[in-house]
mmCIF file of all heavy atoms in Angstrom:
data_model
loop_
_atom_site.group_PDB
_atom_site.id
_atom_site.type_symbol
_atom_site.label_atom_id
_atom_site.label_comp_id
_atom_site.label_asym_id
_atom_site.label_seq_id
_atom_site.Cartn_x
_atom_site.Cartn_y
_atom_site.Cartn_z
ATOM 1 N N ALA Y 96 109.258 115.541 101.827
ATOM 2 C CA ALA Y 96 109.230 114.794 103.089
ATOM 3 C C ALA Y 96 108.268 113.582 103.069
ATOM 4 O O ALA Y 96 108.609 112.491 103.608
ATOM 5 C CB ALA Y 96 108.819 115.749 104.210
ATOM 6 N N LEU Y 97 107.100 113.737 102.440
ATOM 7 C CA LEU Y 97 106.162 112.619 102.393
ATOM 8 C C LEU Y 97 106.663 111.477 101.566
ATOM 9 O O LEU Y 97 106.552 110.302 101.902
ATOM 10 C CB LEU Y 97 104.769 113.119 101.839
ATOM 11 C CG LEU Y 97 103.921 113.989 102.784
ATOM 12 C CD1 LEU Y 97 102.733 114.511 102.068
ATOM 13 C CD2 LEU Y 97 103.488 113.126 104.016
ATOM 14 N N SER Y 98 107.256 111.803 100.428
ATOM 15 C CA SER Y 98 107.816 110.789 99.504
ATOM 16 C C SER Y 98 108.960 110.060 100.257
ATOM 17 O O SER Y 98 109.043 108.822 100.188
ATOM 18 C CB SER Y 98 108.369 111.428 98.250
ATOM 19 O OG SER Y 98 107.380 112.117 97.571
ATOM 20 N N ARG Y 99 109.795 110.815 100.914
ATOM 21 C CA ARG Y 99 110.901 110.223 101.612
ATOM 22 C C ARG Y 99 110.385 109.249 102.716
ATOM 23 O O ARG Y 99 110.875 108.133 102.838
ATOM 24 C CB ARG Y 99 111.725 111.343 102.211
ATOM 25 C CG ARG Y 99 113.110 110.923 102.731
ATOM 26 C CD ARG Y 99 113.989 112.067 103.125
ATOM 27 N NE ARG Y 99 113.415 112.760 104.259
ATOM 28 C CZ ARG Y 99 113.127 114.060 104.240
ATOM 29 N NH1 ARG Y 99 113.285 114.826 103.159
ATOM 30 N NH2 ARG Y 99 112.632 114.681 105.351
ATOM 31 N N LYS Y 100 109.363 109.716 103.413
ATOM 32 C CA LYS Y 100 108.814 108.883 104.483
ATOM 33 C C LYS Y 100 108.245 107.559 103.915
ATOM 34 O O LYS Y 100 108.413 106.508 104.481
ATOM 35 C CB LYS Y 100 107.751 109.689 105.241
ATOM 36 C CG LYS Y 100 107.293 108.943 106.482
ATOM 37 C CD LYS Y 100 106.213 109.700 107.255
ATOM 38 C CE LYS Y 100 105.630 108.714 108.258
ATOM 39 N NZ LYS Y 100 104.170 108.783 108.388
ATOM 40 N N GLN Y 101 107.580 107.667 102.765
ATOM 41 C CA GLN Y 101 106.972 106.477 102.154
ATOM 42 C C GLN Y 101 108.055 105.447 101.804
ATOM 43 O O GLN Y 101 107.898 104.278 102.045
ATOM 44 C CB GLN Y 101 106.152 106.856 100.947
ATOM 45 C CG GLN Y 101 104.923 106.013 100.732
ATOM 46 C CD GLN Y 101 104.020 106.509 99.648
ATOM 47 O OE1 GLN Y 101 104.465 107.054 98.643
ATOM 48 N NE2 GLN Y 101 102.731 106.378 99.828
ATOM 49 N N LEU Y 102 109.139 105.942 101.230
ATOM 50 C CA LEU Y 102 110.255 105.055 100.898
ATOM 51 C C LEU Y 102 110.932 104.471 102.090
ATOM 52 O O LEU Y 102 111.307 103.295 102.155
ATOM 53 C CB LEU Y 102 111.320 105.805 100.020
ATOM 54 C CG LEU Y 102 110.746 106.160 98.644
ATOM 55 C CD1 LEU Y 102 111.802 106.972 97.846
ATOM 56 C CD2 LEU Y 102 110.344 104.970 97.839
ATOM 57 N N GLU Y 103 111.115 105.334 103.158
ATOM 58 C CA GLU Y 103 111.751 104.842 104.362
ATOM 59 C C GLU Y 103 110.852 103.769 105.045
ATOM 60 O O GLU Y 103 111.377 102.754 105.525
ATOM 61 C CB GLU Y 103 111.904 106.035 105.398
ATOM 62 C CG GLU Y 103 113.048 106.913 104.989
ATOM 63 C CD GLU Y 103 113.099 108.226 105.803
ATOM 64 O OE1 GLU Y 103 112.221 108.408 106.643
ATOM 65 O OE2 GLU Y 103 113.984 109.029 105.550
ATOM 66 N N GLN Y 104 109.592 104.024 104.980
ATOM 67 C CA GLN Y 104 108.633 102.990 105.547
ATOM 68 C C GLN Y 104 108.750 101.689 104.784
ATOM 69 O O GLN Y 104 108.682 100.595 105.374
ATOM 70 C CB GLN Y 104 107.249 103.527 105.582
ATOM 71 C CG GLN Y 104 106.341 102.592 106.375
ATOM 72 C CD GLN Y 104 105.241 103.363 107.116
ATOM 73 O OE1 GLN Y 104 105.181 104.600 107.127
ATOM 74 N NE2 GLN Y 104 104.315 102.605 107.734
ATOM 75 N N LEU Y 105 108.856 101.724 103.495
ATOM 76 C CA LEU Y 105 108.965 100.543 102.709
ATOM 77 C C LEU Y 105 110.196 99.767 103.093
ATOM 78 O O LEU Y 105 110.172 98.536 103.373
ATOM 79 C CB LEU Y 105 109.048 100.872 101.180
ATOM 80 C CG LEU Y 105 109.179 99.583 100.254
ATOM 81 C CD1 LEU Y 105 107.892 98.772 100.288
ATOM 82 C CD2 LEU Y 105 109.527 100.035 98.830
ATOM 83 N N SER Y 106 111.363 100.472 103.203
ATOM 84 C CA SER Y 106 112.606 99.821 103.634
ATOM 85 C C SER Y 106 112.451 99.193 104.954
ATOM 86 O O SER Y 106 112.874 98.040 105.208
ATOM 87 C CB SER Y 106 113.775 100.845 103.720
ATOM 88 O OG SER Y 106 113.862 101.571 102.523
ATOM 89 N N GLU Y 107 111.826 99.910 105.876
ATOM 90 C CA GLU Y 107 111.658 99.419 107.265
ATOM 91 C C GLU Y 107 110.789 98.185 107.292
ATOM 92 O O GLU Y 107 111.091 97.183 107.907
ATOM 93 C CB GLU Y 107 110.998 100.528 108.040
ATOM 94 C CG GLU Y 107 111.386 100.636 109.541
ATOM 95 C CD GLU Y 107 110.700 101.821 110.124
ATOM 96 O OE1 GLU Y 107 111.160 102.989 109.821
ATOM 97 O OE2 GLU Y 107 109.649 101.691 110.808
ATOM 98 N N ASN Y 108 109.721 98.251 106.562
ATOM 99 C CA ASN Y 108 108.729 97.098 106.465
ATOM 100 C C ASN Y 108 109.403 95.906 105.895
ATOM 101 O O ASN Y 108 109.191 94.762 106.374
ATOM 102 C CB ASN Y 108 107.508 97.480 105.697
ATOM 103 C CG ASN Y 108 106.556 98.389 106.468
ATOM 104 O OD1 ASN Y 108 106.480 98.308 107.709
ATOM 105 N ND2 ASN Y 108 105.771 99.229 105.771
ATOM 106 N N CYS Y 109 110.164 96.111 104.835
ATOM 107 C CA CYS Y 109 110.840 94.922 104.219
ATOM 108 C C CYS Y 109 111.883 94.299 105.156
ATOM 109 O O CYS Y 109 111.973 93.125 105.230
ATOM 110 C CB CYS Y 109 111.476 95.375 102.859
ATOM 111 S SG CYS Y 109 110.250 95.698 101.644
ATOM 112 N N LYS Y 110 112.610 95.191 105.810
ATOM 113 C CA LYS Y 110 113.640 94.716 106.752
ATOM 114 C C LYS Y 110 113.002 93.869 107.877
ATOM 115 O O LYS Y 110 113.422 92.801 108.176
ATOM 116 C CB LYS Y 110 114.415 95.951 107.310
ATOM 117 C CG LYS Y 110 115.816 95.676 107.705
ATOM 118 C CD LYS Y 110 116.517 96.934 107.973
ATOM 119 C CE LYS Y 110 117.745 96.698 108.831
ATOM 120 N NZ LYS Y 110 118.332 97.950 109.285
ATOM 121 N N LYS Y 111 111.996 94.492 108.427
ATOM 122 C CA LYS Y 111 111.317 93.838 109.603
ATOM 123 C C LYS Y 111 110.740 92.478 109.166
ATOM 124 O O LYS Y 111 110.638 91.515 110.007
ATOM 125 C CB LYS Y 111 110.132 94.727 110.008
ATOM 126 C CG LYS Y 111 110.165 95.062 111.533
ATOM 127 C CD LYS Y 111 108.848 95.733 111.871
ATOM 128 C CE LYS Y 111 108.771 97.189 111.607
ATOM 129 N NZ LYS Y 111 107.513 97.808 112.016
ATOM 130 N N ASN Y 112 110.295 92.365 107.959
ATOM 131 C CA ASN Y 112 109.615 91.098 107.531
ATOM 132 C C ASN Y 112 110.473 90.216 106.583
ATOM 133 O O ASN Y 112 109.900 89.344 105.975
ATOM 134 C CB ASN Y 112 108.306 91.493 106.820
ATOM 135 C CG ASN Y 112 107.339 92.118 107.805
ATOM 136 O OD1 ASN Y 112 106.751 91.415 108.658
ATOM 137 N ND2 ASN Y 112 107.146 93.415 107.717
ATOM 138 N N ASN Y 113 111.767 90.478 106.513
ATOM 139 C CA ASN Y 113 112.672 89.659 105.643
ATOM 140 C C ASN Y 113 112.189 89.614 104.193
ATOM 141 O O ASN Y 113 112.161 88.510 103.603
ATOM 142 C CB ASN Y 113 112.762 88.242 106.188
ATOM 143 C CG ASN Y 113 113.430 88.237 107.521
ATOM 144 O OD1 ASN Y 113 114.424 88.980 107.764
ATOM 145 N ND2 ASN Y 113 112.857 87.508 108.469
ATOM 146 N N ILE Y 114 111.881 90.712 103.630
ATOM 147 C CA ILE Y 114 111.471 90.811 102.195
ATOM 148 C C ILE Y 114 112.583 91.447 101.383
ATOM 149 O O ILE Y 114 113.124 92.443 101.823
ATOM 150 C CB ILE Y 114 110.127 91.563 102.091
ATOM 151 C CG1 ILE Y 114 108.952 90.846 102.784
ATOM 152 C CG2 ILE Y 114 109.800 91.885 100.623
ATOM 153 C CD1 ILE Y 114 107.722 91.660 103.012
ATOM 154 N N THR Y 115 112.875 90.842 100.279
ATOM 155 C CA THR Y 115 113.899 91.385 99.422
ATOM 156 C C THR Y 115 113.464 92.673 98.789
ATOM 157 O O THR Y 115 112.405 92.725 98.109
ATOM 158 C CB THR Y 115 114.280 90.383 98.254
ATOM 159 O OG1 THR Y 115 114.600 89.175 98.883
ATOM 160 C CG2 THR Y 115 115.421 90.864 97.434
ATOM 161 N N LEU Y 116 114.173 93.733 98.971
ATOM 162 C CA LEU Y 116 113.855 95.077 98.420
ATOM 163 C C LEU Y 116 114.957 95.576 97.544
ATOM 164 O O LEU Y 116 116.109 95.592 97.906
ATOM 165 C CB LEU Y 116 113.607 96.085 99.572
ATOM 166 C CG LEU Y 116 113.575 97.560 99.187
ATOM 167 C CD1 LEU Y 116 112.366 97.885 98.306
ATOM 168 C CD2 LEU Y 116 113.567 98.380 100.452
ATOM 169 N N TYR Y 117 114.604 95.934 96.299
ATOM 170 C CA TYR Y 117 115.516 96.622 95.427
ATOM 171 C C TYR Y 117 115.283 98.146 95.495
ATOM 172 O O TYR Y 117 114.470 98.639 94.772
ATOM 173 C CB TYR Y 117 115.450 96.100 93.964
ATOM 174 C CG TYR Y 117 115.731 94.563 93.966
ATOM 175 C CD1 TYR Y 117 114.751 93.650 93.692
ATOM 176 C CD2 TYR Y 117 117.019 94.131 94.290
ATOM 177 C CE1 TYR Y 117 115.030 92.255 93.704
ATOM 178 C CE2 TYR Y 117 117.271 92.776 94.369
ATOM 179 C CZ TYR Y 117 116.290 91.863 94.021
ATOM 180 O OH TYR Y 117 116.572 90.482 94.059
ATOM 181 N N GLU Y 118 115.962 98.770 96.454
ATOM 182 C CA GLU Y 118 115.580 100.165 96.702
ATOM 183 C C GLU Y 118 116.242 101.110 95.706
ATOM 184 O O GLU Y 118 117.017 100.684 94.871
ATOM 185 C CB GLU Y 118 115.903 100.570 98.172
ATOM 186 C CG GLU Y 118 117.361 100.403 98.562
ATOM 187 C CD GLU Y 118 117.540 100.411 100.048
ATOM 188 O OE1 GLU Y 118 116.639 100.898 100.773
ATOM 189 O OE2 GLU Y 118 118.591 100.013 100.530
ATOM 190 N N LEU Y 119 115.846 102.373 95.804
ATOM 191 C CA LEU Y 119 116.349 103.383 94.890
ATOM 192 C C LEU Y 119 117.852 103.276 94.793
ATOM 193 O O LEU Y 119 118.556 103.264 95.853
ATOM 194 C CB LEU Y 119 115.900 104.740 95.438
ATOM 195 C CG LEU Y 119 115.865 105.880 94.404
ATOM 196 C CD1 LEU Y 119 114.914 105.521 93.290
ATOM 197 C CD2 LEU Y 119 115.422 107.168 95.102
ATOM 198 N N GLY Y 120 118.360 103.272 93.576
ATOM 199 C CA GLY Y 120 119.817 103.232 93.382
ATOM 200 C C GLY Y 120 120.389 101.815 93.205
ATOM 201 O O GLY Y 120 121.460 101.689 92.663
ATOM 202 N N HIS Y 121 119.630 100.810 93.688
ATOM 203 C CA HIS Y 121 120.150 99.414 93.507
ATOM 204 C C HIS Y 121 120.106 99.045 92.061
ATOM 205 O O HIS Y 121 119.315 99.544 91.251
ATOM 206 C CB HIS Y 121 119.143 98.507 94.266
ATOM 207 C CG HIS Y 121 119.676 97.066 94.389
ATOM 208 N ND1 HIS Y 121 119.626 96.199 93.307
ATOM 209 C CD2 HIS Y 121 120.263 96.403 95.421
ATOM 210 C CE1 HIS Y 121 120.160 95.038 93.690
ATOM 211 N NE2 HIS Y 121 120.534 95.114 94.939
#
Side-chain angles (χ1 to χ4, degrees):
Chain Y
L97 285 173
S98 302
R99 194 172 63 238
K100 188 180 165 222
Q101 212 171 37
L102 293 176
E103 284 167 0
Q104 190 147 352
L105 179 70
S106 306
E107 213 175 284
N108 284 330
C109 288
K110 207 168 159 189
K111 233 192 277 179
N112 293 289
N113 295 316
I114 294 167
T115 306
L116 165 67
Y117 300 114
E118 57 194 345
L119 201 59
H121 190 284

